[in-house]
Amino acid sequence: METPYQNHIDKADFDHVYEPAEDSFLLIDALEKDLQYLKSKNPIFCLEVGSGSGVVITALGMAFPHTFCLSTDVNLKACAMTKQTAAYNKVNLDSCNMDLASSFTDNIFDVIIFNPPYVVTDSEECGGSDITASWAGGAKGREITDRLLNMIPKKLANNGVFYLLLIEENIPDEVVQIMNGFGFKSETVIKRKVRNEQQLVLKFYK
Ligand SMILES: C[S@@+](CC[C@H](N)C(=O)[O-])C[C@H]1O[C@@H](n2cnc3c(N)ncnc32)[C@H](O)[C@@H]1O
């Protein structure tokens, strides 16, 4: 998969929007590793929740030029940056300023991806809509993620797949159990240690 062109972004804008980092690129690497599997699904509607700069959904849209990409973010500036990133890279995308995937029609998405705010913080720190929303994950770093997990059975198409980036502190086994309870199988697609952080991408499917 190609890395999207990002030179249109002014460095100062990353004071307000999450700057792509190792976690963003691990999620892209996971999608690339699963490219044949994704091709076999022939995806039409792809969604990135919490798209930040838009680099991940744009990479996916570049690999699948016939899909229609959607993205959401609680941070309005992130929505604007995602739109620009997609446009510069000629990806067909619409970006919505929305909490998670709350306002979308049910069971529509063939692919959903999420690199959540995963840092363990006090609950009070999490739930904002500025740059803090990029990292503040509340208890277990999972408060935002767990809300999306509950939406996945309603938003993912029957044959769809959900990719989620986590760190060890998020207790991935618990996430797997929650998704098993909703009838999803799971696999670890990729793992990488970044400084002291063990990052991994899980995928969930029926
Ligand atoms: C770790 S950043 C990831 C950004 C980008 N996807 C990437 O990988 O570079 C998490 C993103 O989720 C967004 N976010 C946090 N809470 C959200 C929510 N409830 N609904 C939608 N987006 C949310 C943040 O604003 C931020 O852009």
Side-chain angles (χ1 to χ4, degrees), residues 52-66:
S53 66
V55 78
V56 185
I57 189 69
T58 299
L60 186 64
M62 287 160 74
F64 291 94
H66 300 300

Side-chain angles (χ1 to χ4, degrees), residues 55-124:
V55 78
V56 185
I57 189 69
T58 299
L60 186 64
M62 287 160 74
F64 291 94
H66 300 300
T67 60
F68 186 65
C69 294
L70 283 144
S71 68
T72 70
D73 209 294
V74 277
N75 178 344
L76 192 57
K77 292 190 164 111
C79 297
M81 194 183 283
T82 294
K83 257 190 175 169
Q84 283 177 357
T85 302
Y88 268 95
N89 290 282
K90 302 192 172 23
V91 165
N92 187 12
L93 171 138
D94 207 354
S95 167
C96 309
N97 186 213
M98 185 191 295
D99 178 41
L100 301 174
S102 49
S103 307
F104 288 126
T105 315
D106 286 351
N107 303 113
I108 179 180
F109 294 107
D110 303 300
V111 181
I112 300 180
I113 55 183
F114 192 30
N115 175 12
Y118 55 65
V119 178
V120 179
T121 64
D122 288 340
S123 293
E124 300 75 59

